[in-house]
Amino acid sequence: MADFIGYTEINAASDYIKARIQELPEIGIILGSGLGGLANSIENPVVISTKEVPAWPISTVPGHEGKLVFGNLDEKRVMALQGRVHYYEGHPISKIGLPIRVMQRLGIKILILTNAAGGLNPEFHAGDVMVMRDHIAFMQFGGENPLRGPNLDEFGPRFPDMSQVYDLELADLAVAAAKQAGITVREGVYVWLAGPSFESPAECRFLRAAGADSVGMSTVPEAIVAKHGGMRILGLSGITNKIDISGKNAATHEEVLEAGISLAPKMTKIIHGVLKAI
Ligand code: HPA
């Protein structure tokens, strides 16, 4: 596998998909751990297994099914990805951006990113939803960035701006939709770490002191690629576990998936609210 994806891989994947769907999607949705169920409410679905799509990175994580679902949600044409891939699975960082590049090739201008995350902010509880206002791409401090490698000039500039990654209007719509549905909604900064090990208590204290409200192992690489390509982005973190900086209560993947079950309907309501309003 080449270290960097280029036009060849992106075009092969997007041409394959274009030949399988009737109408091009307008909005992309990436479903995080335990949140794949949202795709079931898509009307007139066309489902493509990611295994069939040339160059598509394959997910190996339980709870991530590896399907693309095209269809209608609240009268919008959507493309949902069930089963994102994560850096910790061993994919080169550039490949994590492939689904976003394909969405861009299909003409998608709005991207909804969801994730399961640990709550670092002491006011957050498992079951809350956090609307992402900013992120810390912690991995790029160590040299890992999905845009590393030759710049794809057809998509965006070499040195893209990241001063406002998450669209203000979409974030406000999400907060309003959550409040209207009676869901406890938080707003804050998500920090992306590589995983797959969870954070040590000292790391959690460090991340909190650095200004992070939630922590997870996804979303930010996709957001960086999407922003580079000029998309409007909404990021929703489902808080699956409250981080205990004393280290007495360790997070587990089972806990994350279980909390995802109660978070899925909340995230679904918020996404419906946003889709209706745009
Ligand atoms: N840490 C990192 N990633 C996560 C967590 C966590 O506590 N919960 C869900 N994803």
Side-chain angles (χ1 to χ4, degrees):
M1 201 184 320
D3 276 352
F4 308 115
I5 57 156
Y7 297 117
T8 311
E9 291 84 2
I10 295 165
N11 294 342
S14 53
D15 289 349
Y16 179 88
I17 291 169
K18 275 187 197 156
R20 293 278 309 271
I21 57 175
Q22 303 281 329
E23 280 186 307
L24 291 175
E26 323 162 82
I27 296 173
I29 307 175
I30 297 192
L31 299 166
S33 298
L35 302 171
L38 175 84
N40 299 335
S41 38
I42 295 177
E43 294 160 23
N44 305 321
V46 174
V47 181
I48 302 177
S49 163
T50 54
K51 289 194 193 117
E52 300 167 37
V53 184
W56 200 279
I58 301 301
S59 166
T60 58
V61 189
H64 287 259
E65 283 186 47
K67 280 187 207 159
L68 300 174
V69 185
F70 295 83
N72 294 318
L73 202 57
D74 301 299
E75 281 150 46
K76 303 288 186 313
R77 295 190 308 279
V78 302
M79 164 179 178
L81 168 58
Q82 255 178 329
R84 65 144 61 85
V85 292
H86 303 79
Y87 180 73
Y88 59 74
E89 294 174 66
H91 304 283
I93 186 77
S94 161
K95 249 206 142 163
I96 294 169
L98 182 102
I100 307 301
R101 292 306 190 203
V102 171
M103 287 180 178
Q104 289 168 338
R105 273 286 192 255
L106 298 176
I108 289 175
K109 302 258 177 349
I110 293 181
L111 177 66
I112 301 176
L113 292 166
T114 66
N115 59 58
L120 284 166
N121 185 319
E123 289 177 16
F124 291 9
H125 298 281
D128 293 351
V129 176
M130 187 192 91
V131 174
M132 290 169 67
R133 289 292 184 177
D134 203 348
H135 68 220
I136 300 174
F138 203 82
M139 293 292 297
Q140 80 159 343
F141 298 1
E144 279 292 45
N145 186 301
L147 302 177
R148 181 169 170 266
N151 186 52
L152 300 178
D153 298 330
E154 284 179 30
F155 289 97
R158 171 77 289 186
F159 300 107
D161 172 40
M162 293 285 147
S163 58
Q164 191 68 63
V165 177
Y166 302 92
D167 187 83
L168 289 170
E169 192 190 333
L170 293 176
D172 288 347
L173 287 176
V175 171
K179 286 190 176 153
Q180 208 179 6
I183 296 162
T184 305
V185 63
R186 313 289 189 173
E187 298 173 55
V189 174
Y190 172 96
V191 60
W192 165 51
L193 300 188
S197 47
F198 286 114
E199 304 70 39
S200 72
E203 284 166 346
C204 291
R205 288 191 292 273
F206 173 83
L207 296 170
R208 181 68 191 139
D213 296 292
S214 69
V215 54
M217 306 173 192
S218 69
T219 305
V220 172
E222 291 118 318
I224 290 173
V225 173
K227 181 69 182 169
H228 174 256
M231 283 173 147
R232 292 176 64 199
I233 305 163
L234 170 65
L236 298 175
S237 268
I239 306 300
T240 53
N241 52 294
K242 192 174 170 68
I243 294 208
D244 173 8
I245 53 171
S246 74
K248 289 195 187 106
N249 293 303
T252 65
H253 187 58
E254 289 66 36
E255 181 185 17
V256 170
L257 289 179
E258 200 179 305
I261 294 168
S262 73
L263 274 159
K266 296 181 190 174
M267 301 281 245
T268 304
K269 277 187 194 149
I270 297 172
I271 292 172
H272 280 305
V274 171
L275 290 178
K276 284 194 186 109
I278 49 180

